[in-house]
Amino acid sequence: MPSTHDNSGSPQGLTQVEAAARLQAEGYNELPTAKARNFLRTLWEILREPMILLLVGAGVLYLFLGELRDALVLLASIGLIIGIDLYQQRKTEHALEALRDLSSPRALVIRDGQQRRIAGREVVRGDIVIVSEGDRVPADGILLSAVNLTIDESLLTGESVPVRKAAAEHDADQLARPGGDDLPFVYSGTLVVQGQGFAEIRAIGIQTELGKIGKALRALEPEATHLQAQVNRLVGILALFGLTLCGIIAVVYALTRDGWVNGLLAGITTAMSLLPEEFPVVLTVFLALGAWRISQKQVLTRRGNAIEALGSATVLCVDKTGTLTQNRMEVHKLAVDGQTLPVTAQTTAIPDHFHDLLEYSILASKRNPLDPMEIAFQQFGARTLSNTEHLHPDWALVHEYALSPALLAMSRAWRPAGGDVTILAAKGAPEAIARLCRLSPAEFESLQAQATRMAVEGLRILGVAKCEWRQPQLPPHQQDLPFSFVGLVGLSDPIRPEVPAAVQECYSAGIRVVMITGDYAGTAQNIARQVGIPNPAQVLTGAELERMSVPELAEHIRSTNVFARMVPEQKLRLVNALKANGEVVAMTGDGVNDAPALKAAQIGIAMGGRGTDVAREAADLVLLDDAFSSIVEAIRMGRRIYDNLLKAMSFLFAVHMPIAFLALIPVVAGWPLILMPVHVVFLELITDPACSIAFEAEPGEPGLMRRPPRKSSEPMLSRRRIALSLLQGAALGAIVIAVFGIALHIGVAEPRARTLAFATVVIGDIMLVLANRSWTRLIVSTLHAPNPALWWIVGGASATLAAVVYTPFLQSLFRFSPLSGRDAALCLAAGIASLLWFEIWKLLRGKAKNGTPPERGA
């Protein structure tokens, strides 16, 4: 081991010059982060959209014709569309940035023989770091010295119990893997629970255990979601059809009417009417707003595929600690002289017979502890012993006997104020305390039987002992003290109160809940029983899983819901086995060790509160509050988002049909052009908010969580749904064409006939929005469902229609003429009539009055 001490034996560490040189040569002690999305790249992707290109082309054409107003309207609409897209992109990125902890943890290093507090990212290889209780280890290293040092390495190993550390007896060429007691290695990101030590840093940043996994995960590129792939394929087909038709109409119009400019405008209008440019926009907006809505339920969406996958989840694999439970210890049962006392968080007093047990439990703990069990003793004592003589804030701590591999017990020695006697309290494993108290075989057997009965309840058991020492010097070992046995304390991690109802809701929704924990089988069974997981007695341990063949495991996991003593490799094998059985798996995890299983699951869910950055990078969702109920809320929201996306897509198919009719029929029939690009832009500005805002804000269908999960293989839009959507639009298009044709036939002037047709289209579009709010319930039965955004859009569209019809400037721009009251009533009746058949169809299905959830793809 290189020399890091002066002649007196005090550590000197690196010099500031050496540290600066290494920082320059090897870089900062930090993990690589994903590159931020480039603004110009985002802008370029938007500008390449066919709809944007057509708007630009039409704007240039209007400028060529000298129609400045039309050109400005079209170019302004381009800016509006780009602005909406950019806003949504930044909104999603800000949400992700809000989760990442940007503050670098601090580190206490020795440089030039002096202790210095520096940012953790400035630690370099060769630094001597002082790690103390409550610190995060800043990088991987080897211990030069350690005093009663215990470290929580659960983020790397998944093991919930902290491990003991010992100083290195000789140099090591390389660091060993994490896990196990009495090893001299410390690892980046782990938490010092107790004691202090000096460590020489051997690896920083990407070279640490934490960094190696982060490096592997960074190389993974997100793929397009199943929805995105379907939408992109559909948009490509329709775009090719629309652009081809654009060219044909432009040529036919020019040859038959001798007007290339008007032919180009007619072709561009037709292409704009057929191009489903809203499809990718709506999908982007739904996923972005869906991510925002889910974040309101304390769940951050890192990847959009999770939103669509949530509705397909059939199995939910969850950890016990902190997800089903509260991740804090509570005193649950006391045992003295064979008598037991169950206690709860509401207990404020206990019988005198149990006072000594709690008193010495507190004396065996730190005054300001970090250990969750010691915190539980302190809190319970503050509630139940506050008015007794059993709390001793004025006593002075004179000595500590540390936990050791030979004896899993620890003792603390206290000197009462003004007293000449030393009071000692010990706590530890029941068998260790029995050895410390030199219990007889019969007493030990009785103790073991009591401890076993308590352990079956899923409790963590500690024995407590006491001693009085009247000599001036304490012996070197706690085994030399005359301890007497006091009793047993059973502690538990209480379940979250909302979990049982959430588990029941999962099963009502056809989602099976599976607990995967590193804890013991008895504890796992007890928690499973409390939260309502079926078959809690049927437990599969990691050791048993390891011995199983692939077919055996596949058979066992069909009925087993509780898996105990699982290590990371077994979690990954379990997830893969569930997937091989055809399940869609959602998996929770918090440590680096969970990253492979999170990545393998269709929906990886990381813990935001206690989880690591690497686990978050691997996951699709991040629970900001680590609560199981938040997962269930996310599933509910995912189903709602998918349902509403189906409604929006159905509306888009329908709404393009009348626009296409108005663009095509006049060319074929030799009529005057009804729609110009400016009209299509106006309709698009109604369509986009209707899809992006109104449908996205639509509340969930009744019975949303009482139907089975959606099959992940089924297409987003079935042929039947597309056909019905097109039929909705065709019915409206036929009525609009009839209105325009009859108006021309009876001698109505072209501007007025165009206004009649356009007003009918706008009213019909509003009716399409209302009709597509539900495919099972009538319009009148959905009016009471809360959706303020919908009514703002309906009111805004109606007001804007009135403005373009009755304002002289806008009349001129749109080539309209004002309508009489009778004309307006005719347009209203025609728009409503276009959707009457669809309402009748709902009634004939027999489901409108009972609110049955919509059939998939209906």
Side-chain angles (χ1 to χ4, degrees):
M1 188 176 295
S3 176
T4 55
H5 296 72
D6 62 11
N7 294 331
S8 66
S10 300
Q12 294 296 294
L14 300 174
T15 66
Q16 285 290 92
V17 174
E18 289 172 331
R22 291 193 180 182
L23 184 65
Q24 179 70 28
E26 300 179 7
Y28 285 104
N29 174 40
E30 57 189 3
L31 298 184
T33 57
K35 295 181 180 179
R37 187 175 176 84
N38 185 278
F39 172 82
L40 292 178
R41 180 182 173 186
T42 303
L43 182 62
W44 173 243
E45 288 174 356
I46 296 170
L47 289 174
R48 288 189 305 171
E49 290 291 333
M51 182 66 174
I52 299 294
L53 296 176
L54 284 172
L55 286 173
V56 170
V60 170
L61 194 57
Y62 274 124
L63 284 175
F64 175 76
L65 296 173
E67 298 287 350
L68 183 61
R69 290 178 305 177
D70 288 24
L72 290 177
V73 169
L74 291 177
L75 295 176
S77 68
I78 296 172
L80 182 61
I81 293 171
I82 291 173
I84 291 173
D85 280 2
L86 290 175
Y87 170 75
Q88 293 299 341
Q89 290 287 350
R90 289 305 301 155
K91 190 172 182 179
T92 304
E93 288 178 14
H94 283 147
L96 295 178
E97 291 165 5
L99 176 70
R100 185 178 295 277
D101 183 10
L102 297 178
S103 61
S104 174
R106 307 287 286 174
L108 185 62
V109 300
I110 299 177
R111 289 184 180 170
D112 294 316
Q114 302 293 319
Q115 294 185 13
R116 298 176 184 272
R117 183 72 68 176
I118 64 172
R121 67 193 297 265
E122 296 175 4
V123 170
V124 298
R125 192 172 51 80
D127 261 327
I128 303 299
V129 175
I130 303 173
V131 289
S132 303
E133 187 172 307
D135 289 345
R136 287 277 178 190
V137 179
D140 291 6
I142 186 168
L143 283 168
L144 307 179
S145 66
V147 178
N148 202 23
L149 186 62
T150 306
I151 296 182
D152 178 359
E153 295 183 347
S154 59
L155 84 165
L156 293 172
T157 65
E159 180 56 55
S160 59
V161 178
V163 293
R164 298 185 304 275
K165 293 294 180 180
E169 297 180 358
H170 54 80
D171 195 12
D173 293 332
Q174 61 182 12
L175 300 174
R177 295 297 302 275
D181 288 317
D182 303 312
L183 295 177
F185 307 110
V186 294
Y187 302 94
S188 175
T190 57
L191 176 66
V192 180
V193 173
Q194 190 173 332
Q196 188 182 59
F198 289 78
E200 180 186 340
I201 299 304
R202 296 293 184 87
I204 64 169
I206 204 168
Q207 303 302 321
T208 64
E209 288 293 319
L210 207 62
K212 291 173 185 176
I213 300 177
K215 180 181 179 181
L217 294 174
R218 188 189 184 202
L220 296 170
E221 290 292 332
E223 299 178 357
T225 71
H226 183 58
L227 275 181
Q228 288 170 330
Q230 289 187 64
V231 169
N232 290 340
R233 183 168 60 251
L234 185 62
V235 168
I237 293 170
L238 294 177
L240 180 62
F241 176 71
L243 291 175
T244 303
L245 196 60
C246 167
I248 294 172
I249 288 176
V251 171
V252 170
Y253 192 98
L255 293 177
T256 57
R257 303 196 187 186
D258 195 24
W260 281 100
V261 173
N262 284 333
L264 283 173
L265 284 175
I268 289 174
T269 303
T270 303
M272 289 171 66
S273 69
L274 292 175
L275 271 181
E277 80 290 341
E278 306 97 341
F279 278 50
V281 173
V282 166
L283 182 59
T284 300
V285 170
F286 261 72
L287 294 181
L289 287 180
W292 175 78
R293 286 192 184 278
I294 290 178
S295 73
Q296 305 305 298
K297 304 297 182 181
Q298 300 299 304
V299 180
L300 185 77
T301 305
R302 285 187 43 79
R303 296 181 181 89
N305 64 329
I307 294 177
E308 62 173 280
L310 280 169
S312 303
T314 59
V315 173
L316 183 53
C317 297
V318 295
D319 188 20
K320 173 184 70 68
T321 305
T323 308
L324 300 179
T325 66
Q326 298 179 31
N327 195 25
R328 63 181 179 86
M329 301 302 289
E330 282 186 358
V331 177
H332 188 83
K333 183 168 285 190
L334 305 175
V336 176
D337 296 332
Q339 299 180 35
T340 59
L341 177 69
V343 296
T344 67
Q346 287 71 44
T347 301
T348 57
I350 58 176
D352 292 347
H353 187 59
F354 296 92
H355 281 187
D356 276 2
L357 176 57
L358 186 52
E359 175 186 4
Y360 284 95
S361 298
I362 296 171
L363 288 173
S365 307
K366 282 183 175 292
R367 277 243 166 85
N368 298 299
L370 288 177
D371 185 284
M373 290 183 287
E374 294 186 346
I375 292 172
F377 294 146
Q378 297 277 11
Q379 292 176 342
F380 189 61
R383 289 203 314 272
T384 59
L385 299 179
S386 58
N387 296 320
T388 70
E389 72 279 8
H390 295 282
L391 295 180
H392 310 286
D394 57 333
W395 286 12
L397 179 68
V398 295
H399 190 69
E400 294 185 33
Y401 292 100
L403 197 79
S404 71
L407 185 70
L408 298 178
M410 60 188 306
S411 306
R412 287 187 168 86
W414 302 86
R415 184 69 53 81
D420 58 357
V421 63
T422 301
I423 306 297
L424 294 104
K427 63 178 172 61
E431 57 273 19
I433 295 296
R435 285 177 53 199
L436 201 61
C437 297
R438 301 177 181 86
L439 297 184
S440 67
E443 290 171 327
F444 180 73
E445 186 177 340
S446 175
L447 170 66
Q448 283 286 78
Q450 180 68 65
T452 301
R453 286 194 296 270
M454 295 172 69
V456 168
E457 300 178 31
L459 304 180
R460 186 176 293 278
I461 314 301
L462 288 180
V464 179
K466 65 180 180 179
C467 173
E468 289 187 5
W469 186 257
R470 298 185 179 276
Q471 298 182 29
Q473 295 294 325
L474 288 165
H477 305 293
Q478 58 182 331
Q479 294 94 319
D480 299 329
L481 291 160
F483 277 102
S484 59
F485 184 73
V486 179
L488 298 173
V489 181
L491 300 106
S492 67
D493 184 359
I495 66 168
R496 291 178 179 261
E498 72 278 5
V499 167
V503 169
Q504 184 57 48
E505 190 170 18
C506 280
Y507 278 94
S508 297
I511 302 169
R512 177 178 157 210
V513 179
V514 170
M515 182 202 298
I516 306 176
T517 179
D519 218 327
Y520 292 96
T523 304
Q525 283 179 310
N526 185 265
I527 296 298
R529 191 175 294 110
Q530 291 184 61
V531 301
I533 294 177
N535 304 324
Q538 190 173 339
V539 180
L540 186 66
T541 65
E544 292 169 339
L545 182 145
E546 200 66 36
R547 295 191 295 267
M548 288 183 177
S549 65
V550 173
E552 288 175 331
L553 179 59
E555 185 59 34
H556 271 79
I557 61 176
R558 295 185 192 278
S559 56
T560 303
N561 298 321
V562 182
F563 298 84
R565 304 302 289 168
M566 288 284 161
V567 298
E569 294 79 7
Q570 293 163 348
K571 290 182 182 180
L572 178 59
R573 187 182 174 195
L574 189 57
V575 168
N576 287 331
L578 287 167
K579 289 170 62 179
N581 276 3
E583 307 284 5
V584 177
V585 181
M587 168 81 185
T588 67
D590 56 359
V592 174
N593 61 298
D594 291 322
L598 290 174
K599 207 69 184 176
Q602 286 96 334
I603 310 166
I605 306 172
M607 302 300 159
R610 67 180 191 275
T612 62
D613 282 341
V614 175
R616 295 173 190 172
E617 288 290 336
D620 304 298
L621 301 174
V622 178
L623 296 185
L624 301 181
D625 60 359
D626 294 0
F628 178 80
S629 58
S630 295
I631 305 175
V632 180
E633 284 298 320
I635 291 173
R636 181 198 305 277
M637 192 62 65
R639 290 188 174 192
R640 169 187 161 182
I641 291 166
Y642 192 87
D643 277 0
N644 290 344
L645 185 57
L646 284 182
K647 296 171 185 177
M649 294 296 185
S650 301
F651 169 75
L652 282 178
F653 270 106
V655 82
H656 274 273
M657 289 298 291
I659 302 175
F661 274 45
L662 295 181
L664 284 169
I665 299 299
V667 175
V668 176
W671 294 347
L673 293 178
I674 303 175
L675 296 183
M676 302 293 180
V678 67
H679 300 122
V680 177
V681 168
F682 177 91
L683 293 172
E684 296 291 341
L685 293 178
I686 294 175
T687 301
D688 285 346
C691 287
S692 305
I693 301 173
F695 283 114
E696 194 281 330
E698 190 66 21
E701 290 277 354
L704 191 67
M705 293 294 282
R706 295 196 303 272
R707 68 188 187 203
R710 171 180 54 85
K711 293 182 180 178
S712 59
S713 59
E714 74 177 24
M716 179 185 62
L717 294 170
S718 66
R719 293 179 180 177
R720 184 188 183 197
R721 191 173 191 106
I722 291 174
L724 285 169
S725 299
L726 294 177
L727 192 55
Q728 289 181 43
L732 175 57
I735 285 183
V736 172
I737 287 297
V739 168
F740 185 74
I742 292 171
L744 290 180
H745 182 71
I746 63 175
V748 172
E750 179 186 327
R752 184 180 166 207
R754 178 180 293 113
T755 310
L756 285 167
F758 189 81
T760 304
V761 168
V762 173
I763 294 169
D765 284 353
I766 293 173
M767 292 302 301
L768 280 172
V769 174
L770 297 177
N772 280 282
R773 291 184 72 190
S774 175
W775 276 37
T776 59
R777 293 175 291 154
L778 298 177
I779 290 176
V780 292
S781 66
T782 61
L783 294 179
H784 69 280
N787 189 344
L790 170 71
W791 302 113
W792 277 105
I793 289 168
V794 170
S798 302
T800 308
L801 175 61
V804 298
V805 171
Y806 296 108
T807 303
F809 170 77
L810 294 176
Q811 284 177 16
S812 173
L813 179 65
F814 281 79
R815 297 169 178 80
F816 286 165
S817 65
L819 297 178
S820 65
R822 189 171 64 177
D823 290 341
L826 172 66
C827 295
L828 179 62
I832 293 174
S834 66
L835 265 298
L836 281 178
W837 73 269
F838 190 59
E839 296 298 288
I840 295 171
W841 177 79
K842 292 180 186 178
L843 277 175
L844 293 177
R845 295 183 75 197
K847 296 180 179 179
K849 59 182 179 182
N850 58 20
T852 302
E855 294 178 4
R856 297 298 183 185

